[in-house]
Amino acid sequence: MQARTFLSGWLTLLACAGALSSKNYYEESLGALRARLEKTLGADRAAGIQIPFELDDEIVAAANDAARGAGQQTDRIQALLDLMTDKKKLDLKYDPAVTETAREVFRIRTGNCLSLTNLFVGMARVSSINVRYAHVTEIERYAPSGGSPGEGVIVHSSHICGVISEAGRVRLIDFSPRGTRQYHSYRIIDDVEALAHFYNNKGYEAGYRSAGADPAARLEREIALYETAIVVDPDFSYAYNNLGTTYKRIGELKKALDYYAKALELDPRFAEAYSNRAAIFFQEGKAAQAIDELNKALKFSPTNPYLRYDLGNLYYGYRRYKEAEDCYKRAVALDPRPAFYTALARSRIAQGKRKEALESVMKALERDPTYAEAKSLLASLQVKP
């Protein structure tokens, strides 16, 4: 899939950009970030930190060539986007599993939203465009929930865009497989937080998208990357949450709970961390605490269908089938996934509601005729498709 299909436009109607600026935002921001890292980490440790938007001479030359002759800022932005997407130029491809620096993206010609944004940010700043990073907070990324409440954990992997502000109006430069879209909930972040997101996403990939790697080495790298995100930005709650999920995965529940507690200390509205604590409490047989934690999560993320599904799984695990059914009904109303419909069917079977269970199974099969669990439930209801 080509990057040109992922680019979004102005969030609000933007008049023609102002006069050409000769300011080199790239050198200024790179120097400021390096100085800040050296001050907080020391020169030796700071030298080992990758700066995601840092360019080499070849990329700087390519950006300058692309923007040459484009006087207005709007024209320079378009020239850089054309450079990135044109088949005769860079022809960048989107890959959700590739978090890389601008230099590496330029070399391999592929990357995810954060990676492609890194390259755009560097080139735009070289071209006197004051582009910043934006964290899109309306998109929540999850590892798939497990079949039981104790298995499902939520791992944070961010969606990042570039953002340009002029005269009170904003444009997002978005590299997304979803095509042109508008976001109504996003937050402009500084380069330090963007750097923390970079290492956090690298940790997520090491832990969840490196199946062929040696397990011990993969675990060591995953933890090191999350810890680097925290070293860079000690208030970065997402990395604490992800460290919690890592330690839960290897059975170190006390350490996992400590990291979730730290994430919630930094962000008391962090729904994912509440949900992850609920999974541990369920595993430990603490029913009331588990349900309380998921209800806290839903307080801060009420339209999240996965949280409704996980709460339903908790109730189902405790044989509270009517409450489970209510949760699953709300989950399918928010997102009609086959998994949610089959869970709804199971809760209805447990209550003897075979007709209603069959309706749920058929809804699941309408959305995915190959869905194995729905086919199995259909057979158990002794009804031919």
Side-chain angles (χ1 to χ4, degrees):
M1 189 179 296
Q2 296 178 13
R4 70 168 64 87
T5 64
F6 327 135
L7 305 177
S8 69
W10 299 109
L11 268 179
T12 56
L13 186 61
L14 181 63
C16 224
L20 174 65
S21 168
S22 61
K23 187 169 184 177
N24 192 327
Y25 292 106
Y26 171 73
E27 293 292 348
E28 180 182 276
S29 60
L30 183 63
L33 183 54
R34 282 288 184 203
R36 183 166 173 178
L37 291 173
E38 289 177 5
K39 182 178 180 180
T40 56
L41 307 181
D44 290 343
R45 192 165 189 181
I49 300 295
Q50 292 181 292
I51 305 300
F53 63 85
E54 188 170 12
L55 310 179
D56 58 26
D57 291 343
E58 182 183 6
I59 305 174
V60 170
N64 288 335
D65 287 345
R68 186 175 290 115
Q72 297 293 324
Q73 178 169 288
T74 301
D75 297 331
R76 280 176 281 139
I77 293 170
Q78 190 58 52
L80 293 175
L81 295 178
D82 289 344
L83 169 64
M84 295 176 71
T85 62
D86 194 307
K87 283 188 175 183
K88 296 181 180 179
K89 297 176 183 178
L90 296 184
D91 189 24
L92 299 180
K93 303 294 191 300
Y94 177 88
D95 187 332
V98 177
T99 297
E100 284 297 347
T101 64
R103 290 180 175 183
E104 186 65 8
V105 170
F106 190 86
R107 185 183 72 82
I108 65 176
R109 300 294 199 261
T110 190
N112 60 15
C113 62
L114 176 54
S115 305
L116 298 171
T117 299
N118 288 336
L119 180 58
F120 179 79
V121 165
M123 294 196 302
R125 289 179 180 178
V126 162
S127 305
S128 303
I129 301 167
N130 188 19
V131 60
R132 291 175 287 173
Y133 288 93
H135 176 209
V136 178
T137 54
E138 75 176 15
I139 292 181
E140 294 169 319
R141 302 294 180 90
Y142 300 94
S145 293
S148 75
E151 295 173 1
V153 291
I154 301 176
V155 186
H156 186 274
S157 177
S158 300
H159 185 72
I160 302 292
C161 302
V163 63
I164 301 165
S165 303
E166 291 181 305
R169 296 179 179 182
V170 177
R171 180 180 183 180
L172 290 183
I173 305 298
D174 178 30
F175 299 91
S176 166
R178 297 171 181 82
T180 301
R181 63 184 295 173
Q182 291 189 342
Y183 298 118
H184 304 289
S185 179
Y186 70 93
R187 184 169 59 87
I188 296 173
I189 59 177
D190 63 19
D191 288 347
V192 172
E193 186 172 341
L195 179 58
H197 276 289
F198 173 77
Y199 277 102
N200 187 63
N201 277 22
K202 294 283 282 185
Y204 171 81
E205 288 177 7
Y208 294 89
R209 288 177 168 164
S210 303
D214 173 72
R218 181 179 67 184
L219 177 64
E220 182 180 1
R221 175 167 170 75
E222 178 186 9
I223 291 172
L225 288 164
Y226 291 145
E227 289 178 342
T228 300
I230 291 169
V231 165
V232 166
D233 184 354
D235 295 332
F236 193 69
S237 59
Y238 303 122
Y240 286 104
N241 174 73
N242 286 1
L243 275 169
T245 66
T246 301
Y247 284 109
K248 179 186 181 298
R249 194 176 71 229
I250 61 176
E252 296 191 29
L253 302 187
K254 173 63 169 61
K255 191 172 285 189
L257 286 171
D258 289 343
Y259 278 115
Y260 293 144
K262 181 62 177 179
L264 288 166
E265 176 188 325
L266 293 168
D267 181 4
R269 301 176 61 87
F270 198 168
E272 295 98 316
Y274 286 117
S275 175
N276 289 339
R277 283 208 306 201
I280 291 180
F281 291 146
F282 175 84
Q283 193 170 332
E284 294 178 334
K286 300 173 181 177
Q289 285 178 266
I291 291 169
D292 184 56
E293 290 294 295
L294 269 180
N295 279 316
K296 288 177 184 176
L298 283 163
K299 176 182 176 182
F300 299 116
S301 188
T303 60
N304 183 329
Y306 290 94
L307 293 178
R308 298 285 176 192
Y309 172 69
D310 287 341
L311 183 57
N313 286 344
L314 277 179
Y315 283 129
Y316 188 90
Y318 294 121
R319 299 185 180 182
R320 294 165 63 172
Y321 299 125
K322 180 62 175 70
E323 290 159 297
E325 179 186 12
D326 292 342
C327 290
Y328 296 141
K329 284 166 67 176
R330 298 184 74 173
V332 297
L334 291 164
D335 186 350
R337 290 176 176 265
F340 299 166
Y341 272 114
T342 53
L344 179 58
R346 282 190 282 104
S347 70
R348 287 172 166 171
I349 291 171
Q351 297 175 79
K353 299 179 179 179
R354 297 178 65 83
K355 180 180 178 181
E356 293 92 334
L358 177 60
E359 291 173 356
S360 300
V361 169
M362 297 310 294
K363 288 284 188 182
L365 291 171
E366 282 177 16
R367 283 153 181 80
D368 182 358
T370 68
Y371 197 69
E373 186 180 1
K375 291 170 72 174
S376 176
L377 285 177
L378 188 62
S380 74
L381 290 166
Q382 297 181 338
V383 177
K384 294 182 179 180

